[in-house]
């Protein structure tokens, strides 16, 4: 009987996430995943479960770590408006310079409509991101950095929904200047 290989689960999840990032859930085979994780399939099944369970762990890990990084980055910026602008610029950089772009957006289009567990994770991520950004917008309004007569919730929704459109635009047109110009336009409108 073959022995199961012991492995570092956290590192294995990271390696699997990279495969899912590049190939998507449907495009990633079990062989792709186990090769990247450097484990055999029985070790995967015994410790984590099947491909879907692995993906759920990966997307959960991705959304949690991304939000922790976002909050840590924003906490170093004193101006709430500058933190919002940094958030926008970070999103632009992800779209333009990260070959994998945003795993949450990719997953939303691939699986969220048909997989309730994935939808819940992504909705929680969206709600968390919205609350984080709304707090910054409200603080910027209180400090007079953003017009306090504007609707903070609408500004927040507008910012977040722009990213999906930018991502689609970049996939189709591969035009960095277009994305940067849209970001500049957005920033100029919230900074009035």
């Amino acid at each position: 009987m073959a022995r199961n290989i012991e492995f570092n689960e956290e590192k294995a999840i990271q390696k699997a996430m990279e495969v899912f990032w590049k190939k998507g859930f449907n495009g990633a085979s079990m062989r792709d995943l186990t090769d990247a994780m450097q484990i055999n399939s029985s070790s995967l099944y015994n410790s984590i479960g099947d491909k879907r369970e692995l993906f759920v762990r990966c997307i959960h890990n991705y959304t949690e770590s991304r939000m922790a990084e976002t909050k840590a980055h924003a906490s170093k910026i004193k101006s709430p408006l500058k933190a919002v602008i940094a958030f926008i610029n970070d999103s632009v950089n992800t779209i333009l310079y990260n070959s994998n772009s945003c795993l949450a957006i990719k997953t939303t289009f691939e699986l969220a409509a048909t997989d309730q567990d994935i939808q819940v994770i992504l909705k929680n991520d969206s709600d968390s991101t919205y609350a984080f950004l709304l707090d910054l917008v409200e603080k910027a309004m209180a400090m007079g950095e953003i017009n306090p007569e504007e609707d903070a919730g609408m500004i927040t929704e507008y910012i977040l929904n722009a990213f999906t459109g930018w991502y689609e635009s970049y996939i189709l047109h591969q035009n960095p200047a277009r994305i940067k110009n849209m970001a500049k336009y957005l920033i100029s409108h919230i900074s009035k």
Side-chain angles (χ1 to χ4, degrees):
M1 181 176 209
R3 256 185 45 165
N4 290 343
I5 300 170
E6 290 192 27
F7 64 98
N8 179 319
E9 196 170 301
E10 188 176 315
K11 285 182 182 175
I13 296 280
Q14 183 64 38
K15 293 288 187 191
M17 187 169 64
E18 290 169 13
V19 172
F20 285 129
W21 221 332
K22 287 179 184 153
K23 296 188 171 198
F25 176 78
N26 292 316
S29 69
M30 283 300 286
R31 170 69 122 201
D32 294 331
L33 294 164
T34 54
D35 285 353
M37 297 166 75
Q38 298 179 336
I39 61 170
N40 61 43
S41 56
S42 61
S43 293
L44 174 62
Y45 286 116
N46 290 335
S47 62
I48 296 172
D50 63 10
K51 177 180 161 182
R52 185 185 168 281
E53 290 173 275
L54 175 61
F55 187 76
V56 167
R57 298 263 304 265
C58 287
I59 194 68
H60 185 266
N61 182 58
Y62 171 79
T63 58
E64 293 290 317
S65 62
R66 186 186 62 177
M67 182 49 65
E69 288 173 19
T70 298
K71 287 180 178 179
H73 184 235
S75 71
K76 297 174 186 169
I77 304 170
K78 295 196 186 296
S79 159
L81 177 59
K82 286 183 180 174
V84 170
I85 292 169
F87 182 80
I88 292 168
N89 287 327
D90 288 346
S91 297
V92 168
N93 289 334
T94 297
I95 292 167
L96 298 181
Y97 306 117
N98 184 333
S99 61
N100 293 322
S101 201
C102 179
L103 183 59
I105 291 174
K106 285 182 173 184
T107 302
T108 298
F109 289 119
E110 184 181 12
L111 295 174
T114 58
D115 188 312
Q116 187 164 2
D117 292 334
I118 297 295
Q119 187 178 77
V120 167
I121 292 168
L122 294 174
K123 184 181 180 312
N124 288 340
D125 177 56
S126 176
D127 292 346
S128 177
T129 305
Y130 176 86
F132 162 77
L133 193 56
L134 178 64
D135 181 59
L136 289 176
V137 169
E138 288 173 340
K139 286 176 180 172
M141 288 177 155
M143 293 177 69
E145 295 179 321
I146 294 176
N147 182 350
E149 294 179 16
E150 295 288 340
D151 181 333
M154 183 57 67
I155 290 171
T156 303
E157 286 286 354
Y158 187 71
I159 293 168
L160 292 174
N161 286 302
F163 301 149
T164 305
W166 296 350
Y167 176 64
E168 177 188 3
S169 176
Y170 192 68
I171 289 171
L172 297 175
H173 303 284
Q174 297 291 304
N175 185 341
R178 188 178 201 167
I179 307 305
K180 290 175 183 177
N181 287 336
M182 286 189 278
K184 269 190 215 171
Y185 183 81
L186 173 60
I187 290 166
S188 73
H189 276 69
I190 64 170
S191 302
K192 287 183 176 181

